Amino acid sequence: MKATLKRTACVALGLLALAAPASAHHSASMFDRTKPTTLTGVVKAFNWVNPHCSIIFVADGTGETWNVESTSPGVLTRSGWTKRSLNPGDKIEITLAPIRTGGPAGLSLEIKNVTTGETLKRAV
Amino acid sequence: MAGAVSTMGRLSLGAIFALGLAASAVAAPARVGANSPALQQQWRAIANLPDWSGIWDPDRANEAKQLRENKPPWNAAAQKVIDFQQKELVEGRPTLVLWGCFPHGHPTWMMINHNVMEIIFSPGRVTMLGEVDGNRMRRIFTDGRKHPEDPDLTFHGHSIGHWEGDTLVVDTVGVAPQAPIAQSEAIGLSNNGDMHVVERIRLTDENTLEDIITITAPKVFTKPWTTTSYFKRLRGPQYDIVEGQCVRGDYEEGVDKDGYATFVAGPERVNGGVVPIGKK
């Protein structure tokens, strides 16, 4: 009985850890700004949400799905972006700081929406 | 009474109308909610305060400069943790100083914020309305009150202020020990209690607001420490504050079992960011 309780507690704690929300304002040092990388691709989703917007796109050539972080909707709004600045299906050219652990993720530095001709970067 | 009726009978309708108007002008009941003369005087006095209107954008280059050049007097134990955080930062594993969507708290909100705020003057109060973390705000009481003797401990503490010329001097106590003193999102520690913060806030030019912040934190500092934050003024509706909601990024749009719009848990993220854990 005791062992079962212990096991149940462990499982419960494990689930809690998995479910624990992680969002917060964080440093961007997990991204390597010394290696800016420019890629082209097609937007899959543009998440216009606090505290960090994100751009999901499929890279040309490799076909990999990239998950790229940006800053908050407030900061981007003051830089001239809107929730419509990127739309699923738009072709983009994106310069990003890749995540240090490797893989298709990074921090957005500048995006050219080839479909609309708009260049998007943080302006304030 | 009969005489009055008889007198009324001799008056023309027009005269009665005119009398009625005059009576309503003289004997109108007091307007409900009208400002008292004393309060009207306080509102007029606000016109003589400096112009802090507009949107104030934190000077992030200065935040980086403070981090580089103005080291807090951490005590030996605290310095060890800070040194570890610095090492982790360089190696690309930043410590999550702000976590769980708890507020930045005071004075970190004034020191490492990346989002704007506006400042509202009203009788007896200066109110800072922010964008970050659920549109956090600070209430600074300027009505001459003292701090409570045993304040509830909160992330922003209890702030009282007074004007010295065009400088607002703010004194804050009652900050929760868990509120961080942070120089970046990855470098900082809980103040651990008994913190006292004094700020001197003024315009240094038409569009620059300066906040000189002196922090006494006996549990983590060896002596008081002073740092300075700057805010640049933005004017125009394109810069307005928007809703800031820290926890939103943990969720994705969805519907509940009855078909109503809701948010559903999203994937766990790397260090509070948008990058899902374990996805390479």
Side-chain angles (χ1 to χ4, degrees), chain B residues 23-41:
Chain B
S24 71
V26 173
R31 187 173 127 232
V32 173
N35 283 311
S36 67
L39 200 50
Q40 289 180 25
Q41 182 56 40

Side-chain angles (χ1 to χ4, degrees), chain A residues 31-53:
Chain A
F31 304 113
D32 192 349
R33 286 171 188 267
T34 66
K35 292 179 185 151
T37 305
T38 301
L39 297 168
T40 58
V42 175
V43 174
K44 202 168 161 188
F46 179 35
N47 299 312
W48 183 256
V49 298
N50 277 292
H52 304 281
C53 297

Side-chain angles (χ1 to χ4, degrees), chain B residues 116-137:
Chain B
V116 294
M117 67 165 170
E118 58 191 336
I119 304 172
I120 312 293
F121 297 155
S122 57
R125 205 164 102 183
V126 172
T127 309
M128 294 177 173
L129 299 172
E131 180 170 87
V132 81
D133 281 352
N135 302 95
R136 297 284 171 206
M137 64 182 288

Side-chain angles (χ1 to χ4, degrees), chain A residues 22-86:
Chain A
S23 262
H25 300 277
H26 61 81
S27 155
S29 86
M30 68 281 263
F31 304 113
D32 192 349
R33 286 171 188 267
T34 66
K35 292 179 185 151
T37 305
T38 301
L39 297 168
T40 58
V42 175
V43 174
K44 202 168 161 188
F46 179 35
N47 299 312
W48 183 256
V49 298
N50 277 292
H52 304 281
C53 297
S54 61
I55 301 116
I56 317 293
F57 74 96
V58 178
D60 293 340
T62 62
E64 271 186 314
T65 299
W66 282 71
N67 191 332
V68 180
E69 180 173 316
S70 185
T71 181
S72 65
V75 172
L76 291 182
T77 297
R78 285 185 288 280
S79 301
W81 296 47
T82 74
K83 63 185 175 187
R84 313 270 182 222
S85 290
L86 295 171

